[in-house]
């Protein structure tokens, strides 16, 4: 079954870190650029980080640049998002997908940043 399963979210205090994982199955993961998105309450889903199929190139939304790092392990069909110096405005449900949103959305993983 073609699917994406996000994990690793949780409740953290401002300034703390989290690492999210997205496990892909039943498609040629290593041939796709992958993207992390997030959707905050009452807001549209936004693209926050992109990584090319080889992992050589990455790109970030300005508001997370320098704090978040996207990476991937093609041997594990998994893409990661290391999030440091978290802020309350990072609170959202985080999703992964291919560039172009070609795979059915997973359930996402909730990240809540609050003191």
């Amino acid at each position: 079954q073609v699917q994406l399963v996000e994990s690793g979210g949780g409740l953290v205090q401002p300034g703390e870190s989290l690492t999210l994982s997205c496990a892909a199955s039943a498609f040629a993961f290593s041939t796709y650029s992958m993207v992390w998105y997030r959707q905050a309450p009452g807001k549209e889903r936004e693209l926050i980080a992109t990584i090319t199929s080889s992992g050589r190139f990455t790109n970030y939304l300005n508001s997370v640049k320098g704090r978040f790092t996207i990476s991937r392990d093609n041997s594990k069909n998994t893409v990661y998002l290391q999030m440091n110096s978290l802020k309350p405005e990072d609170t959202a449900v985080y999703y992964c997908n291919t560039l172009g949103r070609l795979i059915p959305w997973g359930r996402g993983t909730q990240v809540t940043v609050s003191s």
Side-chain angles (χ1 to χ4, degrees), residues 38-98:
R38 69 184 179 188
Q39 187 167 18
K43 296 187 177 180
E44 292 190 355
R45 196 167 298 186
E46 64 178 350
L47 187 157
I48 58 171
T50 305
I51 188 167
T52 55
S53 57
S54 67
R56 183 175 180 186
F57 298 105
T58 58
N59 198 21
Y60 299 92
L61 185 69
N62 282 342
S63 61
V64 306
K65 197 173 294 185
R67 299 188 298 122
F68 290 11
T69 303
I70 188 171
S71 62
R72 65 191 296 161
D73 185 339
N74 286 343
S75 70
K76 297 182 178 179
N77 287 354
T78 301
V79 60
Y80 304 96
L81 187 68
Q82 172 69 42
M83 305 186 296
N84 297 327
S85 303
L86 283 161
K87 303 176 180 180
E89 51 264 42
D90 295 318
T91 294
V93 180
Y94 285 70
Y95 303 86
C96 69
N97 211 313
T98 65

Side-chain angles (χ1 to χ4, degrees), residues 20-54:
L20 307 183
S21 300
C22 170
S25 57
F27 68 97
F29 175 82
S30 64
T31 67
Y32 289 92
S33 293
M34 294 298 295
V35 179
W36 279 99
Y37 299 84
R38 69 184 179 188
Q39 187 167 18
K43 296 187 177 180
E44 292 190 355
R45 196 167 298 186
E46 64 178 350
L47 187 157
I48 58 171
T50 305
I51 188 167
T52 55
S53 57
S54 67

